């Protein structure tokens, strides 16, 4: 259990450090008052975003294929699936609500 918590904390800290290191910096565009985002940060952010999505899909696939029991996954009652999906759905709804309340710009 503590090893898993340590891995998660290390991943979060490394992700934050990468976000700071590869954060998008803005630079002046000619004499215009507009600023343009640096391509170095945008490329790194796109790469890490794709890597994170691929890792998430791989994690779901491994968790689905490797079970700690010999029971088939389709042999569960409906309450089990609701209990598994509920935290994800609540987190998604809460994050969407908070982003809308903070009037954040929509992702690219």
């Amino acid at each position: 259990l503590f090893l898993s918590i340590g891995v998660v904390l290390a991943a979060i800290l490394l992700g934050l450090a990468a976000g700071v290191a590869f954060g998008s910096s803005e630079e002046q565009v000619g004499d215009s008052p507009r600023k343009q985002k640096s391509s170095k940060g945008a490329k790194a952010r796109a790469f890490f975003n794709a890597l994170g999505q691929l890792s998430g899909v791989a994690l779901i696939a491994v968790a689905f294929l490797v079970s700690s029991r010999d029971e088939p996954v389709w042999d569960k009652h409906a309450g089990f699936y609701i209990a598994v999906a509920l935290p994800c759905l609540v987190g998604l709804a809460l994050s969407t609500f908070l982003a809308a309340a903070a009037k954040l710009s929509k992702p690219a």
Side-chain angles (χ1 to χ4, degrees):
L1 175 67
F2 290 112
L3 179 63
S4 298
I5 293 171
V7 168
V8 168
L9 288 176
I12 290 170
L13 292 174
L14 285 172
L16 289 172
V20 170
F22 294 106
S24 60
S25 59
E26 294 182 349
E27 50 195 35
Q28 192 74 24
V29 179
D31 293 332
S32 159
R34 282 187 37 225
K35 291 187 176 182
Q36 181 178 1
K37 292 194 176 192
S38 170
S39 63
K40 174 188 168 195
K43 286 180 183 177
R45 188 174 302 269
F47 171 75
F48 285 118
N49 188 14
L51 182 65
Q53 289 178 0
L54 181 65
S55 299
V57 170
L59 180 62
I60 291 169
V62 168
F64 181 76
L65 295 173
V66 179
S67 178
S68 61
R69 297 184 182 204
D70 292 332
E71 300 173 4
V73 72
W74 55 86
D75 196 24
K76 307 259 191 256
H77 53 88
F80 171 79
Y81 296 106
I82 293 170
V84 169
L86 194 60
C88 298
L89 296 175
V90 169
L92 182 62
L94 186 61
S95 63
T96 303
F97 172 75
L98 291 174
K103 297 181 181 173
L104 297 177
S105 61
K106 293 184 180 182

